[in-house]
Amino acid sequence: MPKDTSIKSVLIIGSGPIVIGQACEFDYAGSQSARSIREEGIEVILINSNPATIMTDPTMADHVYLKPLTTKSIIEILKEHPQIDAVLPTMGGQTALNLCLEAEEKGIWQDFGVKLIGVDVNAINITEDREQFKQLLEKINVPTAPAKTATSYLEGKEIAQEFGFPLVIRPSFTLGGTGAAIVYKKEDFDELLTRGLEASPIHEVLIDKALMGWKEYELELLRDKNDNVVIICSIENMDPMGIHTGDSITVAPAMTLSDTTFQKLRDYAILMMRSIGNFAGGCNVQFAVSPDEKEDIVAIEINPRVSRSSALASKATGYPIAKIASKLALGYNLDELQNQITKSTSALFEPTLDYVIVKIPRWNFDKFEGADRTLGLQMKSVGEVMGIGRSFQEALHKATQSLEIKRNGLGADGKGYKNYEEIIEKLTFASWDRVFVIYDAIAMGIPLSRIHEITKIDMWFLKQYEELYTLEKEISNYKISNLPKELLLEAKQKGFADRQIAHMVNCLESEVHTLRMDQNINRVFKLVDTCAAEFKAKTPYYYSTFEAEIEKANGERYVDNESIVTDKKKIIVLGSGPNRIGQGIEFDYSCVHGVLAAKECGYETIMINCNPETVSTDFDTADKLYFEPVFWEHIYDIIQHEKPEGVIVQLGGQTALKLAEKLSKYGVKIIGTSFDALDLAEDRGRFSDLLRELHIPFPQFGIAETADEASALADTLDFPLLIRPSYVLGGQGMKIVINKKELEEHVINLLKTIPGNKLLLDHYLAGAIEAEADAICDADGNVYIIGIMEHIEPCGVHSGDSNATLPPFNLGEFVMQQIKDHTKKIARALKTVGLINIQFAIKDDTVYIIEANPRASRTVPFIAKAYGEPYVNYATKVMLGHNKVTDFDFNPQLKGYAIKQPVFSFSKFHNVNKALGPEMKSTGESILFIDDLKDDQFYELYSRRKMYLSK
């Protein structure tokens, strides 16, 4: 049956600010869904409190509300739009589902005559309430782990007595494994049980016998009104049960399952989906399989919504799950919709992969001092990367190269662990870098059987690792002059980077690159087409690999390249890689808008990025998408293939900026601000000379490269001092010290982790007010300041962690004028073309400059949303030289004030110091509009401003 004609207006609920466990995959889902529903001529109204998202752009929906996600906001919206017929809560993660349930319990949907689509209340209740879910599975004969639910401390104690240890505690109605834990010994049980009961909004936990070492699998399903079910993707976790899927290394398609077990998983998944309720939409089902030849199956859980894995499955297969799920919610059937990638087959089919994908999470433990760095049932990663290759080994290597943790892949970079005890410990208590440690263990000669016994990682994966190590050993016997072509090709096919091969044969990376060119071993680009080339695909979504040459009958040799270069003018936008603290979704927002603006200027746009959760890696954002690591070798090969007019680096945060130097060295044009100007702003010495020339005040500072130099400097500068390394984002490694002993400890510690770095020592302006300005500047030196924000917390709390108001609330006219003058002077002096962000400290009515960043900053999306103006679009057109700043008609609209509120994920790290300082710790942000400063919420923030200040 075609679409439900009674639906004319839909409310979509977003997922709010980014926290660990709920990141930008829901922006990707929400944006797709809004577009998908509007294509049908249906009005879309959207609520989300996160300003850094694409989904809250005014063009995405008919009405966008940047309001807190509460039932109060929902009632306001429903009163304003009585025409709303239906609500779609499956695109906003757990936040949206919980809000939807709360509104249901309060009778709000009923009062306003709104129906739920995409899921039903019953299904949410059954899948989230662990007791009901267990009973359901028993009824339909799907096996589960022995378990019981407890709603009180006493019940919990009784169950533990009956089951014995190890046990698993999982609270109901939570996401990202909040409050979940494995209990190995009796002594820990009391505290962990209390913590679990507190984490659940209904104070209920499920206690089950721990299936340690079982293999974990996930399936992504879609179902329509007629009960057609398709399985989009099977995902295998390389890490066994006991580590949250969000923290596991995952592989698609599943690698180590026998065919009969795979069919059983399919049957169980479909049965489970059909039995939890009669709704059209998506589901994610998780299973555990025993690691012996019996392959017993146990169902773990089912989520009736778009999840983190759906974003991964969409990017892995090219099948846009959120888009199709939204159409199904409107009443379409799968066979009536077309496959978005081939445009010639229907959506009622299951994707086939002729490649492998590997997802690796990205952690940020260095931001949480004292955090427990081992992995378990609670999700701790802040982002993820995905590598696509023709083999597991190639995909694994590409994923490790995407992480940006100063590694070039597995092994062959001199950074592996050499200490036996340390290796065994990291394997036993799963560490975040276990993916590298396995390689080090094999290199040390620890037998595979022992590694398997400790980690319970399937032998198949370990053998893949062993092959990589054997190859590295073999290549190390050669020099660059006599390295056989076959070996070089094999190393490239298994994903080794030129840098790693250079390390093995002891030469320079460029020499390996030249050798590859000479021997004609070049990257070829392949399509992600959902159907293993069975039908012709229309979407330009590529990954790279290496192939042996094919010889035709006439002796001509060639390699099959599926990425055809057009003769249009092209622009490459470098993405921002994996999410992490200090560089999150805000930069992806800027990249997407950069791509769209370059399209409007008539360029063919090319996106390079490796983050599967984002809108920038959606196959229809740019004209061409290369799903590749933002890693020098990969980018350079794409540039040589496509020959663009230039590359935009100022939108992808520090990831893209770091590549500017190399790009300009190799003669690639950087669009917008030149590399020299970018370097000038980062180089403290050159930058302060510039400020002196301009007569702009800045805090006294000095540069030190050793602990002795630092100590001598301290005598001239006076404590308190702020210490920071150069070229970092998010205040990494910054600290305020108040005496020589602290100074020495921190400097030695920093130089150990970042050898050869120049450290900056600033005199810290205690009690100063902090403010920042963002501006757009063009090649003729026209500057337009898009927004000035004042921080509510005093100087010394990182700008990303402080609450800030737009416009400022108590800076006098005299101070505001200084800020405007300084901003314009600096933007011109740095020859900025595009965006620039400048941070100020204000003390005794003097405005000091803290730093200037000639790139898109974290606050740009916030200012754009608050004022309702597409600033990134304007800035990109200025960078491309398509427009001057004076061409635009700026007309900011804002009644009252907008407040940027940071959001933290401290709940995941129990014994972490919650104090704020110069190092950024927040994972996301939300926006709050107030009419005036008498507002209670503003007053509360202002009165608490000094509470968490620390060094």
Side-chain angles (χ1 to χ4, degrees):
M1 127 194 173
K3 74 172 181 194
D4 181 340
T5 46
S6 68
I7 299 177
K8 302 265 188 291
S9 174
V10 175
L11 172 67
I12 297 179
I13 305 177
S15 65
I18 287 182
V19 290
I20 289 180
Q22 193 162 276
C24 48
E25 62 271 9
F26 297 111
D27 180 29
Y28 165 68
S31 323
Q32 271 211 351
S33 169
R35 289 200 335 231
S36 175
I37 293 174
R38 284 181 82 187
E39 283 173 355
E40 301 299 323
I42 293 171
E43 178 185 47
V44 170
I45 288 131
L46 199 143
I47 174 173
N48 193 3
S49 58
N50 185 347
T53 51
I54 294 287
M55 69 189 284
T56 53
D57 271 350
T59 52
M60 288 307 297
D62 298 279
H63 302 281
V64 174
Y65 287 95
L66 282 157
K67 284 180 180 292
L69 293 170
T70 59
T71 47
K72 186 173 147 221
S73 304
I74 299 272
I75 293 170
E76 285 169 27
I77 293 173
L78 293 174
K79 279 185 179 154
E80 222 159 296
H81 299 283
Q83 75 275 24
I84 294 178
D85 306 306
V87 57
L88 179 66
T90 53
M91 300 296 161
Q94 197 68 36
T95 308
L97 280 190
N98 285 357
L99 179 62
C100 184
L101 271 186
E102 189 188 332
E104 169 75 21
E105 281 161 14
K106 292 180 178 172
I108 297 170
W109 304 130
Q110 223 172 342
D111 295 350
F112 288 93
V114 176
K115 64 176 176 186
L116 234 70
I117 54 172
V119 66
D120 53 33
V121 170
N122 199 16
I124 304 178
N125 276 325
I126 288 179
T127 54
E128 285 294 337
D129 186 322
R130 311 245 176 208
E131 179 62 27
Q132 286 188 42
F133 179 57
K134 219 175 94 237
Q135 289 166 356
L136 174 82
L137 291 182
E138 273 162 22
K139 200 171 79 197
I140 58 172
N141 288 326
V142 173
T144 56
K148 290 190 170 174
T149 50
T151 49
S152 73
Y153 182 73
L154 254 169
E155 268 181 285
K157 293 286 276 188
E158 283 168 11
I159 298 167
Q161 217 165 342
E162 181 188 334
F163 282 171
F165 296 94
L167 290 175
V168 176
I169 300 178
R170 303 169 196 273
S172 296
F173 288 96
T174 59
L175 176 106
T178 309
I182 307 175
V183 191
Y184 292 103
K185 31 186 214 291
K186 209 171 159 182
E187 297 75 71
D188 304 342
F189 184 69
D190 297 5
E191 188 200 341
L192 294 169
L193 174 63
T194 322
R195 206 183 275 174
L197 287 167
E198 280 168 9
S200 163
I202 57 169
H203 305 303
E204 173 187 272
V205 295
L206 180 77
I207 299 177
D208 58 42
K209 256 191 115 47
L211 301 168
M212 306 307 288
W214 283 42
K215 303 200 293 194
E216 201 168 354
Y217 294 91
E218 289 181 72
L219 296 179
E220 285 293 328
L221 291 75
L222 277 176
R223 169 174 74 169
D224 65 17
K225 276 253 178 41
N226 289 354
D227 224 11
N228 295 315
V229 180
V230 286
I231 292 179
I232 306 299
C233 191
S234 63
I235 299 176
E236 172 166 359
N237 288 1
M238 189 173 110
D239 296 298
M241 285 289 289
I243 295 180
H244 189 284
T245 46
D247 272 358
S248 293
I249 293 158
T250 58
V251 189
M255 292 281 156
T256 65
L257 270 178
S258 66
D259 190 49
T260 41
T261 310
F262 181 53
Q263 295 309 324
K264 261 193 225 156
L265 287 186
R266 292 179 55 110
D267 297 342
Y268 281 149
I270 294 172
L271 177 65
M272 282 160 72
M273 180 157 187
R274 285 180 171 156
S275 61
I276 60 173
N278 187 19
F279 61 91
C283 257
N284 157 271
V285 193
Q286 292 174 8
F287 292 103
V289 174
S290 71
D292 47 25
E293 42 283 8
K294 286 214 285 283
E295 295 201 301
D296 296 325
I297 299 172
V298 161
I300 305 169
E301 62 181 7
I302 178 167
N303 290 312
R305 57 176 169 81
V306 172
S307 64
R308 193 175 27 259
S309 310
S310 334
L312 187 70
S314 299
K315 299 291 164 70
T317 58
Y319 191 110
I321 294 176
K323 203 172 194 171
I324 303 290
S326 305
K327 298 261 202 251
L328 301 179
L330 296 175
Y332 279 102
N333 293 335
L334 281 162
D335 52 69
E336 297 168 334
L337 299 170
Q338 65 170 188
N339 167 359
Q340 304 282 319
I341 280 201
T342 60
K343 298 271 175 42
S344 58
T345 49
S346 91
L348 183 58
F349 84 108
E350 300 193 346
T352 320
L353 308 189
D354 51 0
Y355 49 84
V356 180
I357 72 104
V358 172
K359 173 212 93 179
I360 303 182
R362 172 80 159 74
W363 290 273
N364 238 151
F365 289 122
D366 45 346
K367 297 284 185 201
F368 300 105
E369 260 179 78
D372 170 12
R373 295 185 176 212
T374 52
L375 307 180
L377 288 182
Q378 242 192 22
M379 183 166 164
K380 294 177 183 178
S381 62
V382 288
E384 59 189 30
V385 295
M386 178 174 103
I388 311 180
R390 282 274 156 146
S391 66
F392 168 71
Q393 294 165 327
E394 185 180 22
L396 180 68
H397 256 130
K398 282 171 79 172
T400 50
Q401 285 154 9
S402 306
L403 284 170
E404 290 179 59
I405 49 172
K406 302 196 172 56
R407 296 295 296 255
N408 300 326
L410 295 172
D413 62 358
K415 293 187 179 163
Y417 291 99
K418 303 271 190 292
N419 174 337
Y420 177 79
E421 274 75 30
E422 190 173 19
I423 291 178
I424 294 291
E425 185 181 358
K426 279 182 174 285
L427 292 177
T428 316
F429 304 104
S431 67
W432 65 273
D433 54 357
R434 184 158 84 165
V435 60
F436 297 100
V437 178
I438 295 169
Y439 193 92
D440 300 336
I442 292 171
M444 179 169 270
I446 300 173
L448 293 193
S449 54
R450 174 92 173 100
I451 300 176
H452 170 70
E453 182 193 328
I454 299 175
T455 60
K456 299 287 188 284
I457 291 173
D458 194 281
M459 220 41 189
W460 185 84
F461 292 115
L462 299 177
K463 290 210 167 94
Q464 298 287 310
Y465 266 97
E466 191 178 44
E467 280 176 23
L468 287 175
Y469 177 64
T470 316
L471 182 64
E472 180 191 334
K473 261 204 336 215
E474 194 176 346
I475 291 177
S476 305
N477 298 329
Y478 292 91
K479 296 217 165 24
I480 184 86
S481 48
N482 62 357
L483 181 64
K485 181 174 176 178
E486 295 68 51
L487 267 187
L488 181 58
L489 178 63
E490 188 186 347
K492 294 310 289 178
Q493 285 182 319
K494 292 192 169 172
F496 280 110
D498 290 351
R499 262 176 225 178
Q500 291 175 285
I501 297 169
H503 185 88
M504 298 176 211
V505 296
N506 208 350
C507 70
L508 300 169
E509 178 183 4
S510 51
E511 293 177 66
V512 177
H513 192 264
T514 319
L515 179 69
R516 267 203 306 133
M517 296 292 141
D518 295 346
Q519 302 202 344
N520 221 358
I521 300 177
N522 294 326
R523 275 199 161 72
V524 287
F525 298 100
K526 299 287 178 188
L527 267 173
V528 171
D529 61 2
T530 73
C531 55
E534 202 174 318
F535 304 98
K536 204 165 163 42
K538 297 277 191 292
T539 46
Y541 171 8
Y542 304 95
Y543 64 95
S544 73
T545 186
F546 287 87
E547 288 192 343
E549 294 168 313
I550 303 165
E551 189 166 338
K552 284 189 180 164
N554 63 8
E556 185 195 335
R557 301 176 77 100
Y558 73 101
V559 187
D560 185 37
N561 200 336
E562 295 176 8
S563 170
I564 288 127
V565 180
T566 63
D567 47 12
K568 296 191 192 117
K569 291 193 304 177
K570 312 176 190 62
I571 288 291
I572 290 184
V573 177
L574 290 188
S576 55
N579 258 18
R580 68 212 86 154
I581 291 178
Q583 183 173 306
I585 184 174
E586 301 86 355
F587 296 98
D588 193 68
Y589 171 92
S590 298
C591 290
V592 171
H593 278 286
V595 165
L596 300 175
K599 250 188 216 179
E600 288 171 27
C601 299
Y603 289 93
E604 177 183 335
T605 54
I606 298 167
M607 180 78 213
I608 305 177
N609 203 359
C610 52
N611 183 343
E613 324 175 318
T614 57
V615 179
S616 66
T617 50
D618 196 352
F619 63 81
D620 52 6
T621 298
D623 295 321
K624 271 186 161 178
L625 165 66
Y626 284 98
F627 205 108
E628 291 282 286
V630 189
F631 185 78
W632 168 252
E633 179 185 328
H634 295 265
I635 294 166
Y636 191 56
D637 281 357
I638 295 169
I639 291 173
Q640 287 187 304
H641 179 62
E642 291 283 357
K643 308 199 170 40
E645 302 289 305
V647 179
I648 295 181
V649 297
Q650 56 169 281
L651 298 174
Q654 212 60 21
T655 301
L657 265 195
K658 276 187 188 139
L659 290 157
E661 180 176 11
K662 220 160 183 186
L663 288 168
S664 61
K665 200 171 95 186
Y666 278 80
V668 180
K669 182 171 187 250
I670 289 175
I671 302 287
T673 314
S674 70
F675 165 68
D676 189 55
L678 299 173
D679 188 57
L680 174 64
E682 283 280 358
D683 185 332
R684 247 340 114 87
R686 286 175 67 194
F687 183 56
S688 39
D689 292 343
L690 177 81
L691 293 179
R692 257 186 223 110
E693 277 166 44
L694 298 172
H695 301 297
I696 296 176
F698 53 91
Q700 279 182 292
F701 82 106
I703 295 176
E705 293 185 24
T706 64
D708 291 340
E709 285 176 34
S711 185
L713 266 174
D715 297 335
T716 56
L717 290 175
D718 284 345
F719 290 100
L721 288 175
L722 174 65
I723 308 178
R724 53 182 158 182
S726 12
Y727 281 101
V728 295
L729 187 94
Q732 208 178 324
M734 283 199 195
K735 210 168 198 152
I736 297 168
V737 296
I738 50 177
N739 58 39
K740 285 246 168 134
K741 182 170 166 289
E742 279 188 6
L743 173 76
E744 205 167 293
E745 277 172 11
H746 192 56
V747 168
I748 289 170
N749 192 13
L750 270 180
L751 291 172
K752 199 170 69 199
T753 47
I754 326 177
N757 197 311
K758 290 184 175 158
L759 302 182
L760 310 161
L761 280 71
D762 283 301
H763 174 63
Y764 166 64
L765 298 163
I769 296 173
E770 202 171 333
E772 57 185 302
D774 282 281
I776 303 176
C777 183
D778 63 24
D780 296 352
N782 301 310
V783 181
Y784 174 77
I785 296 178
I786 62 177
I788 297 175
M789 293 172 71
E790 178 183 356
H791 298 183
I792 297 176
E793 279 81 5
C795 203
V797 171
H798 188 279
S799 61
D801 281 355
S802 41
N803 290 283
T805 67
L806 177 79
F809 60 93
N810 67 356
L811 299 180
E813 199 41 50
F814 175 60
V815 168
M816 288 297 280
Q817 198 50 52
Q818 285 181 69
I819 290 181
K820 288 174 190 163
D821 295 344
H822 291 348
T823 302
K824 289 182 175 164
K825 273 189 190 165
I826 291 172
R828 288 186 191 121
L830 286 174
K831 302 192 181 58
T832 308
V833 182
L835 288 157
I836 183 166
N837 163 273
I838 303 178
Q839 310 216 350
F840 305 98
I842 298 137
K843 193 168 184 181
D844 307 332
D845 274 353
T846 307
V847 177
Y848 297 90
I849 303 291
I850 304 178
E851 61 179 354
N853 293 308
R855 57 170 170 81
S857 72
R858 171 175 323 103
T859 45
V860 170
F862 176 86
I863 298 172
K865 291 293 157 62
Y867 283 149
E869 299 244 277
Y871 294 127
V872 182
N873 182 301
Y874 294 166
T876 307
K877 289 176 178 170
V878 165
M879 279 180 238
L880 292 167
H882 191 273
N883 290 87
K884 296 274 168 260
V885 168
T886 44
D887 297 348
F888 301 110
D889 189 17
F890 292 102
N891 178 21
Q893 299 291 325
L894 173 65
K895 286 206 325 284
Y897 296 85
I899 300 183
K900 183 202 83 171
Q901 298 181 287
V903 175
F904 299 90
S905 299
F906 286 131
S907 64
K908 300 276 182 223
F909 301 106
H910 282 284
N911 34 8
V912 167
N913 176 359
K914 293 185 179 44
L916 303 181
E919 178 146 14
M920 181 164 167
K921 293 179 180 176
S922 63
T923 49
E925 60 183 57
S926 63
I927 190 168
L928 173 71
F929 292 102
I930 58 172
D931 294 332
D932 55 48
L933 299 175
K934 295 190 191 70
D935 193 289
D936 293 345
Q937 280 162 301
F938 172 75
Y939 185 76
E940 191 192 349
L941 287 174
Y942 191 68
S943 61
R944 278 204 327 228
R945 67 188 183 280
K946 289 197 167 76
M947 195 161 90
Y948 287 128
L949 186 61
S950 83
K951 41 185 205 292

